[in-house]
Amino acid sequence: MGSPGSRAFRVIWLLEELELDYKLLNLPPHHKDLLKFNPSGKVPALLDGDTCIIDSAAICHYLADKHQKFTFSPGTKQRALQDSFTFFALDDFETPLWTFSKNIFALPEAQRVPQILPQCKNEFAKALKTFEIRLGDNKYVMGETFTIADIFLTHCMTWAKSSRFDIPKGPADDYLQKTRSRPAYLRASEVRRQHSR
Ligand SMILES: N[C@@H](CCC(=O)N[C@@H](CS)C(=O)NCC(=O)O)C(=O)O
């Protein structure tokens, strides 16, 4: 559940990587059908049988662990390293992006604080430098193996580009070209395009 233009895109991308059948309910946040499962009204949510899982990170970890694909196994050092990239995406990248978006459009106008916007861009730029050092010469953050950490990082950096944050030519941009040319990413983008009509 959730519009493919939202964080639901992360889940759609993973479902496409896993080549699973799924039904997308293109619901906006706070839709009554969603509020039945998630009191915050936020998207995405995954309904699997009679269980509803909320939060894009929880959903992606559940799907990857269940199918043992695009993740290292829990309890391994590689999984800890993979998770540290995921949490980096959700903390160092997403926090300034979400604060920026809230103060540009998501909050009611009277609650917006425009003075915070430059700080969001600075925080993101700092995180981008850290990311490039951590990525090094790797194709994906865990080396040759594509994992869900790449989904969160790519989604955040794509969000940054669409909010006109600066991602200069260099390792991060080269990385994005690799992750965003994966066939599953292109299929997920097509789903998003069809649903945005
Ligand atoms: N940590 C959550 C965040 C979910 C979230 O904030 N989703 C946005 C759309 S991308 C939303 O539903 N916003 C409505 C709101 O904040 O009330 C996740 O990754 O699923």
Side-chain angles (χ1 to χ4, degrees):
M1 284 180 267
S3 135
S6 73
R7 290 170 179 85
F9 183 82
R10 299 164 173 173
V11 178
I12 295 168
W13 181 3
L14 179 58
L15 287 164
E16 292 291 341
E17 292 281 358
L18 290 166
E19 299 184 16
L20 294 174
D21 286 332
Y22 62 94
K23 185 171 167 203
L24 174 65
L25 298 178
N26 184 357
L27 301 181
H30 308 288
H31 188 281
K32 65 173 175 37
D33 292 347
L34 184 76
L35 284 165
K36 283 186 230 158
F37 300 104
N38 187 359
S40 78
K42 293 188 185 191
V43 293
L46 175 80
L47 200 51
D48 184 352
D50 54 9
T51 302
C52 185
I53 303 156
I54 53 181
D55 193 289
S56 61
I59 298 167
C60 288
H61 282 83
Y62 164 67
L63 290 172
D65 282 339
K66 180 174 174 178
H67 296 279
Q68 294 183 26
K69 282 190 178 158
F70 309 113
T71 184
F72 287 90
S73 299
T76 61
K77 286 182 184 162
Q78 285 119 315
R79 174 58 172 266
L81 296 172
Q82 172 196 314
D83 286 347
S84 85
F85 276 107
T86 303
F87 296 135
F88 175 84
L90 296 176
D91 187 355
D92 296 48
F93 277 164
E94 186 167 309
T95 301
L97 286 168
W98 187 215
T99 305
F100 186 88
S101 300
K102 279 194 284 195
N103 286 284
I104 287 276
F105 69 87
L107 286 171
E109 211 164 333
Q111 290 176 28
R112 295 180 202 162
V113 182
Q115 293 88 335
I116 197 98
L117 301 177
Q119 193 191 100
C120 297
K121 291 207 166 178
N122 287 343
E123 290 296 309
F124 182 84
K126 255 198 302 186
L128 194 65
K129 282 194 186 130
T130 304
F131 170 73
E132 291 192 332
I133 294 167
R134 290 187 68 186
L135 176 67
D137 294 329
N138 287 329
K139 178 176 182 188
Y140 301 120
V141 289
M142 291 303 293
E144 286 299 305
T145 310
F146 178 83
T147 65
I148 50 176
D150 296 297
I151 291 184
F152 290 93
L153 290 158
T154 301
H155 181 262
C156 285
M157 285 189 272
T158 302
W159 178 359
K161 273 179 178 266
S162 67
S163 300
R164 295 173 206 256
F165 281 46
D166 190 29
I167 301 192
K169 295 238 167 297
D173 199 49
D174 294 348
Y175 164 83
L176 280 183
Q177 283 185 30
K178 283 176 216 139
T179 53
R180 299 203 305 181
S181 59
R182 291 179 64 82
Y185 179 90
L186 300 177
R187 289 197 298 275
S189 300
E190 181 56 23
V191 170
R192 178 168 55 191
R193 203 181 58 76
Q194 282 177 6
H195 282 268
S196 67
R197 279 184 193 152

